[in-house]
Structure formats: C-alpha cells, structure tokens
Amino acid sequence: MKITVTLLAVVTLLSCTASAETANELALRYNKPASTWEETLPLGNGRIGMMPDGGIDRELVVLNDITMWSGSEDPEAINPEAIGYLPKIRELLLAGKNGDAQRIMYEHFRCGGVGSSGGKSKNAPYGCFQMLGNLRINYQYPHQEAADNYQRKLSLNDAVASTSFTRGGITYNREYLASHSDDVLAIRVAADRRGAVSFELELSRPERATISVKGESLIMEGQLNDGHNGDKGVRYLTKVEIVNKGGTVSAGSKSLSLSNADEAIILISTSTDMLDKEYLATVDRLLERAKRFSFVKMKRAHTALYKEKFDRVELWLGEQDNSRTTDKRLASFQTDDDPAFAALYFQYGRYLIICGTNERTLPLNLQGLWANQVQTPWNGDYHLNINVQMNYWPVEVCNLSELHQPLITFTQSLVPSGEATAKAFYGAEGWLAHMMSNPWKFTAPGEHASWGATNTGGAWLCAHLWEHFAFSQDKEYLRTIYPTLAGAAKFFLSGMIAEPKNGWLVTAPSSSPENGFYIPGDKDRIFVCMGPTMDVQLIKELFTNVLSAASILGIEDGTTARIRETLPKLPPMQISSSGYLQEWLEDYREADPQHRHVSHLYGLYPSNQISPNTTPELAAAARETLERRGDGGTGWSRAWKINFWARLQDGNRAYKLLKNLLEPTAGDEISMSSGAGTYANLFCAHPPFQIDGNLGGTAGIAEMLIQSQDGYIQLLPALPDRWASGSFKGLRVRGGAEVDASWKNSRLLSATLRAETGGTFRVKVPDHVTAVKRNGKRITVENGYIALELKKGQEARVEFIS
C-alpha cells in the first residue's frame, strides 16, 4: 500500500510538472496547415532561415539568407550636377517658394543613375533583398485516409517548430530548426511505424538558379543581377542532403527521393559570397559537420545557444492559454483582454530579433530575414526615416545588447560613402545618409522629394550608436564610435543655413518624412522645406551626444567648440495656436493630419527632449498632436504610438494602441490606408509584412514597464489597468543594470537591480509607497527617489511597502 501511494505521488508530481510546463510554454499554435505565407512559421539563426507551411501531402518551405541581395555599388548614385542647383533651391526656400524649390529637386537634386526604380529595383544597381528559394517536399503515405489530430507549433522557448498528425493509424512528426550552433537548416521527419517515411525533395527559385543533383546532394546555385548586366552580383550555393534511418535514397535529375524509411533528417546548407568569399567551402564544411551529429544532439546544442539569449528576460502577466490556437487568441484579444497573450507577443518580438540577426551579419531589413519573393516590397531595404531604427528599439532594454552590433557596424560602414555624398550634393564636411540605404552603402537622396530629401538618416543611426553606450557604459566602445558621431555632426555644422525670420540655423533642403503640406497660391502638395522639427530634434540630440562623449573621453577640439557655438542657434520646438507641436518651422496646413509618420514627436520617443516631468508644456502639445493624428495608421505607426503614449505615462492609451496593433488582418496587398494590424503568424501588417511593427510593439511593451531616459529608473510608468498583477525579469536600463520587478493590484511590490557597471542608480518611488526596504532594512527616500550604490556585479533587492 505504501509503495502504491509513493508511486501515485510520483505520477501526480510528474503530471503536475508537465502540466505547469505546458501552461507556461511560449508557443504559437495552429490546428491546420498554413494557407498563405503570412500563416507560416519563421525560423532563423540570424544568417539563414526558413518558413515551413506544415502541408500534409505537399509541404512548401521558403528558404532565406540575409545576404541575398541583388545590385552592387553604384558610382553613378553620386550626381555631380546636383550641387550646381543647391544655391537656387536654397534661394527659393528662403523666399518661401517651396513649390518651385521642390520642382527643381525632382529634376536635378536626386541620386544619379536609376536609383531604386521606385521600389522595383531587383535589376537596378540599388538592388533588392530577395528570397533564397523554395524547398518542396512531396510526401507519400501507405494509407490515404484524411489526417486528423493535426497540430502545428512554433516554440519560442527553444526555437523549434513542429508539425504532427495521424493518418491511417500512423502518427507523423516533423521538427524544424535553423541551428544556432551548427549553422544549417534541419528538418526531422519521423513516424511511429517503421518504414512509413517516404518523400521527394525539389528545390526551385523564380529566377537565376541552376538546379542539379550530384551524388546524393540536391544543389541550387546562381548569381544575382548586379544591376550593371555584369558579373559582380552576389553568388550563392545551396545544398540539400538526406540522412536516413532505414529506407532508400534515390536521385533524379533535379530531385531526391526517400522510400520506406523509419526516420529522416533533411539538412540544408547555404551561403553567399557577400560576407564569405569562401562560401563554396563553407557550404560543404557545415553540411559535413552537421551529418556527424544526431538530430537530438544538434537540437540540444541549438536550443542551449538560443536560450542563452532568450531566457535572459521573462514577462509574466498570467498563465498562457495553450488550449486555443494563436489565430483564435489573436482574434479574441480585441474583446477578452488576455494579458498573457500580450506577454507572448512581447517575447515573439525578442524571438524575431534573436533569430533574425546575429553579431556577424547584416542588420535586420524591412522584413528582417524572411521574404517569399524575389522583388520584396520597397526592396526590403533599410529605410532610415524610422523603419530600420525601429527594428533596434528593443535590443538594449530587452537584454539583447550584442545584437545591436550589425546596425553599429553598418552605420560605421556608411561613412566613406556619406562623406562623398556630403561633398558632392552639399559641399559640406563630414558624412550623412538620406532616407534609404542598402548593403552597397547607398547614401544619396532618393528620387522622390517626399522621402528622398530627408537628410538626417545618418544622424538617427548615430542615436543608436549612443544608446548602446548609454546602456553598456563601455568607454572603449565609445572611443571607437566617437569619430562617426563627430563626422555626422560636422555635416550639419558645415551644411546648415540661417533662415530669414529668426536667424535660426536649419537644414535646407529637407522634408518631414513623409508628410506634405500646402502653401497658399501653390496647388501642389509640398514636401521640401527648411528645418523640419524632426531634423532639429535629431541634430540637437546628435550635438548633445557628441559633447557628452567628448567629455567622457577627455576630447576638446574644433568640433566640440563649434557645437557649443551652434546649439543655441537651433530652432526651438514650437507649439501652434491650436495646441499641437508644429511639424515645420511654419504652421503649414497639413496634407494629411492623420499621416502614419509622426516625425515631429521624435523628441518624445525614441529621444527624450519631451517629457511630462521636465517639459510639461511640450508634453501637453505632444498629447494634442497624437489626438489629432488618431490611433490608426499602418502597423509600424501603431507600434510607434504605443511608445509615445508610454512616454506620456498613459498606460491605458498605450494598451489601446497595442490592441490596435494586434487587430487581425489578412492579405498581402501594399496599402498605407487599410489592412494594418497583425497576421495569423503574428507578423505585423504594414501591410504587407514589415518586421518593424513587431519590434516596435515589443519595445512599446517594455516602455510601459520600465523607463530610464531622464537620469533615473521608473518602474511601471505606464501600467495599464488590465495588467494589474505581474512580474518581469532581466530588463535593462541606461547606466548599466538589469532589473526585475513584481507587482499586484497595480502596486509595485519589489524590485531587484543587478549592476553591470558600478555606480549610483536612482529609482523613482511610486506615490503609493510609504516605505522602502533593502535587505529588510528601511532606506531613505529623498524627494521621491532612492539611490542605490552598487559595485559591478552587485545585486540589490528592495521592497516597496504601501
């Protein structure tokens, strides 16, 4: 009897443990195969990726490589004639004749050559991010009954996708991973009956691909168009092999087949010569190494490496409802306020960063790593007027600091091209980048003045260089980026002009992305202007960061002296007579008052020049601006507004924007007026898919939970009523610390700080708190703050008593 009770207790304990793990598993779940690409599940290791649709008879797996870029460097992008028109353009702007200035810019002050071909440039030098190809798996079964018990899942906990179903009494299981440890793609196909695994593999690509079979390797290779009808395009090689247990592998002219196996591992090794001149040897080396390990061992190593990053942060807002599929949870989120679903979405964003990029490769582009077309929307490039930067808003606060490196490296790589552009177009010192760029270091103005005239793309990138220091406090790193920051400042110091009304120094020509205005007497919509508010905010931030960096590094030179002289001459932010923040120097009539870009609130977020605490009047104007803009917009625009309202410390309004961002949608047509929201696989719909909305949403949730931009840490600054109880672990703050916190009934209970660098950390104490204890001892609260002195590696746990 005693033994029976003991065994029963063990069984009960194991059952409860398994149940708890399932309840808290972070996973996307579906009960049918994907019918569109926006329902497939993204896997990646930062360099290569795939998206399987989980088909039963025929499965499509879209393959990706982040370096699959057409185009090449384009010397003709530097337009030698442009600078000859600059004096006339500025003369017209100074006279208030913006329309005439704009018409000259369309014709003469733009990049040379064919540019980006209006976003259709896969065959132009500018190039385009492209899919790698399609792997098609045609399955054969011993029984043809309909499948049942179908399940498809992406586990965020271990970065493994799976498909399972039963057919003819046989249960089939597939697992998919993009190995973080072995740098190959792997698919395991298994069944619970021997000899039941049979399939045929085919590789294809819409263009520029040669398919062949050599031995038992299925091969796809080719070269992308360099835009010059030459041989400088990116070359790629993909090899697929089958490692089988039982059964027979046979080769066709362009396919591989496996018959009657017990289990099979499909291995895909691929690379290009963009970043790896030994790519041919790399493909073979990675494939041969992967074949030496069992899938179990590969999966274990992959998961351990992935989890080292993913497990740094936890967010608990309630138990996950894994009894419902993700598409159902997405649909019902509009009415049922499932807090745990918001936590799942937050962690999905972190998953996409970890799997979409790594320290040694290219930055996340408009689609991150994943695309299913040769001509991706807007070339899948790097839009520098918010989109690529939004991709990196979460990396520091969400404890993925090393994944900032691709953007930092990319920014520094633009300097030589940016210097040539500054000299050729503006006759200026330093370097700049306009609104769009690519791996070929494009920095010239685009073809269309509505977006091409924006010349603060480089300045915005420099903000990320500084943010990495603000969170890490790494002075050696700061020394390496200082020349890039100073060079960007030199462009504006030498390139701004005085506007006639107040003598303020401003950029000219420029634009406020991508909104236009009307001038009396001119029927055209105008974009070209002097000194839009966003430019002023970016330049002020850049100048301030250069001075801060120079002070830390002990630098005092001509650049710092010129910055100190110039800063007071920048325009102030202006509030219109209607109470909103002006977008331009003049309070022009907007072409679209509800435009998706809210560029003039850059100073609110991601910058910190507007704050309810330090600039209440500007904060009130920002609030009025947001009310005027409305809560709609494209997907990424809604994500930006979450962050705005979080900075204004309005948690319920931020939450409303999160619900708007998570509005279910379908269809992949390009639209900037309808269809925004979230697809079934939780990809953000611009539409079509753009990853910046996902990552902006993740940043917004973090911003609701913790802020550190005003010289102190504020916990739960914009907590919505719906998240009354919860906890987080591992979020990071400026100054160099990790923070955990827990709360109940919307009241902060405790927090733990772990210092990554030594120093004093000021923490704002919530109004409801009557006392604060550290290690059980009461500590002093001064003017609503506590100060924690911590050495590097030291931890402090504090309790907040109401």
Side-chain angles (χ1 to χ4, degrees), residues 716 719-726 743-748 766 768:
L716 312 181
L719 187 73
D721 294 340
R722 299 296 185 180
W723 300 349
S725 298
W743 64 95
K744 188 174 182 179
N745 297 325
S746 299
R747 295 195 167 204
L748 186 65
H768 66 80

Side-chain angles (χ1 to χ4, degrees), residues 95-100 103 517-526 586-590:
K97 298 179 180 179
N98 298 54
D100 293 336
R103 284 182 275 275
F517 54 91
Y518 294 106
I519 291 180
D522 198 321
K523 62 179 177 17
D524 291 336
R525 184 169 52 168
I526 308 300
E586 302 293 334
D587 192 12
Y588 296 122
R589 180 169 68 90
E590 292 172 286

Side-chain angles (χ1 to χ4, degrees), residues 499-556:
E499 54 83 34
K501 196 172 183 180
N502 299 286
W504 295 326
L505 292 179
V506 295
T507 49
S510 190
S511 64
S512 186
E514 298 169 10
N515 200 10
F517 54 91
Y518 294 106
I519 291 180
D522 198 321
K523 62 179 177 17
D524 291 336
R525 184 169 52 168
I526 308 300
F527 300 95
V528 173
C529 63
M530 297 187 296
T533 299
M534 186 187 76
D535 281 15
V536 178
Q537 294 167 342
L538 279 162
I539 294 165
K540 182 178 180 180
E541 179 181 60
L542 174 64
F543 284 178
T544 303
N545 290 343
V546 171
L547 291 180
S548 296
S551 175
I552 293 166
L553 298 173
I555 296 171
E556 185 62 46

Side-chain angles (χ1 to χ4, degrees), residues 180-251:
H180 284 242
S181 55
D182 294 294
D183 205 11
V184 295
L185 307 174
I187 304 170
R188 174 181 175 268
V189 184
D192 65 356
R193 184 178 301 176
R194 288 191 166 195
V197 173
S198 300
F199 55 75
E200 179 189 41
L201 300 179
E202 296 176 323
L203 273 175
S204 66
R205 193 172 189 277
E207 63 173 35
R208 294 179 172 268
T210 299
I211 314 297
S212 63
V213 174
K214 295 180 181 177
E216 293 187 350
S217 295
L218 179 58
I219 300 169
M220 181 173 69
E221 55 192 329
Q223 183 174 30
L224 305 186
N225 195 319
D226 65 2
H228 299 284
N229 296 316
D231 62 353
K232 296 181 180 179
V234 168
R235 298 176 184 271
Y236 66 92
L237 173 67
T238 305
K239 285 190 175 182
V240 181
E241 293 192 8
I242 301 170
V243 178
N244 55 301
K245 182 185 293 184
T248 303
V249 175
S250 58

Side-chain angles (χ1 to χ4, degrees), residues 568-645:
K569 300 178 182 178
L570 296 177
M573 285 181 271
Q574 302 178 79
I575 300 174
S576 76
S577 59
S578 298
Y580 56 81
L581 195 71
Q582 284 186 195
E583 190 164 356
W584 298 277
L585 282 176
E586 302 293 334
D587 192 12
Y588 296 122
R589 180 169 68 90
E590 292 172 286
D592 181 4
Q594 295 189 323
H595 198 274
R596 61 193 176 278
H597 282 264
V598 199
S599 304
H600 48 314
L601 294 193
Y602 175 86
L604 175 63
Y605 185 93
S607 188
N608 66 329
Q609 298 168 55
I610 302 172
S611 165
N613 305 311
T614 59
T615 61
E617 289 186 3
L618 289 175
R623 179 180 289 270
E624 184 61 31
T625 300
L626 288 170
E627 294 287 6
R628 195 163 178 265
R629 272 298 202 260
D631 292 342
T634 55
W636 62 261
S637 179
R638 299 178 188 191
W640 197 1
K641 291 170 185 174
I642 298 170
N643 290 275
F644 286 144
W645 286 108

Side-chain angles (χ1 to χ4, degrees), residues 184-407:
V184 295
L185 307 174
I187 304 170
R188 174 181 175 268
V189 184
D192 65 356
R193 184 178 301 176
R194 288 191 166 195
V197 173
S198 300
F199 55 75
E200 179 189 41
L201 300 179
E202 296 176 323
L203 273 175
S204 66
R205 193 172 189 277
E207 63 173 35
R208 294 179 172 268
T210 299
I211 314 297
S212 63
V213 174
K214 295 180 181 177
E216 293 187 350
S217 295
L218 179 58
I219 300 169
M220 181 173 69
E221 55 192 329
Q223 183 174 30
L224 305 186
N225 195 319
D226 65 2
H228 299 284
N229 296 316
D231 62 353
K232 296 181 180 179
V234 168
R235 298 176 184 271
Y236 66 92
L237 173 67
T238 305
K239 285 190 175 182
V240 181
E241 293 192 8
I242 301 170
V243 178
N244 55 301
K245 182 185 293 184
T248 303
V249 175
S250 58
S253 61
K254 294 185 178 182
S255 65
L256 289 180
S257 296
L258 174 66
S259 302
N260 305 321
D262 303 333
E263 177 185 303
I265 314 300
I266 302 168
L267 294 175
I268 304 126
S269 182
T270 187
S271 188
T272 80
D273 68 350
M274 176 182 277
L275 300 178
D276 181 8
K277 299 310 174 187
E278 304 298 322
Y279 75 106
L280 297 174
T282 296
V283 169
D284 289 334
R285 175 176 53 82
L286 293 175
L287 189 57
E288 289 306 311
R289 187 178 67 182
K291 285 158 63 177
R292 294 200 298 266
F293 302 113
S294 68
F295 185 83
V296 171
K297 188 172 182 179
M298 179 188 293
K299 178 181 173 182
R300 187 182 302 125
H302 153 76
T303 301
L305 202 58
Y306 163 78
K307 287 174 76 68
E308 193 281 319
K309 291 184 175 74
F310 186 78
D311 287 355
R312 294 173 191 172
V313 171
E314 298 174 6
L315 174 59
W316 190 88
L317 297 175
E319 288 192 354
Q320 293 294 328
D321 180 4
N322 286 321
S323 65
R324 292 187 296 161
T325 59
T326 301
D327 52 332
K328 295 292 192 299
R329 291 183 72 185
L330 175 66
S332 62
F333 184 69
Q334 297 300 309
T335 55
D336 70 4
D337 294 303
D338 176 4
F341 187 68
L344 176 70
Y345 184 78
F346 168 81
Q347 291 286 31
Y348 184 56
R350 294 185 66 250
Y351 167 88
L352 291 174
I353 298 170
I354 298 168
C355 295
T357 189
N358 65 45
E359 299 90 320
R360 300 170 301 282
T361 189
L362 296 177
L364 295 156
N365 60 54
L366 281 175
Q367 298 202 212
L369 164 67
W370 299 279
N372 68 331
Q373 303 173 51
V374 169
Q375 178 56 57
T376 46
W378 297 285
N379 304 313
D381 65 6
Y382 307 127
H383 281 20
L384 306 184
N385 61 0
I386 186 170
N387 308 99
V388 73
Q389 292 92 339
M390 184 181 282
N391 287 348
Y392 286 86
W393 287 352
V395 293
E396 298 293 344
V397 66
C398 290
N399 215 331
L400 299 171
S401 182
E402 66 268 52
L403 296 183
H404 226 149
Q405 190 58 52
L407 188 67

Side-chain angles (χ1 to χ4, degrees), residues 135-203:
L135 175 68
R136 287 183 169 81
I137 311 174
N138 301 311
Y139 295 97
Q140 293 91 44
Y141 300 95
H143 305 282
Q144 297 305 312
E145 295 91 335
D148 55 15
N149 299 319
Y150 183 95
Q151 295 182 33
R152 185 165 58 95
K153 182 177 78 169
L154 171 62
S155 169
L156 306 185
N157 297 100
D158 56 13
V160 174
S162 60
T163 299
S164 67
F165 54 88
T166 300
R167 189 170 195 173
I170 304 172
T171 298
Y172 295 89
N173 292 287
R174 305 174 199 156
E175 291 183 280
Y176 319 75
L177 60 86
S179 175
H180 284 242
S181 55
D182 294 294
D183 205 11
V184 295
L185 307 174
I187 304 170
R188 174 181 175 268
V189 184
D192 65 356
R193 184 178 301 176
R194 288 191 166 195
V197 173
S198 300
F199 55 75
E200 179 189 41
L201 300 179
E202 296 176 323
L203 273 175

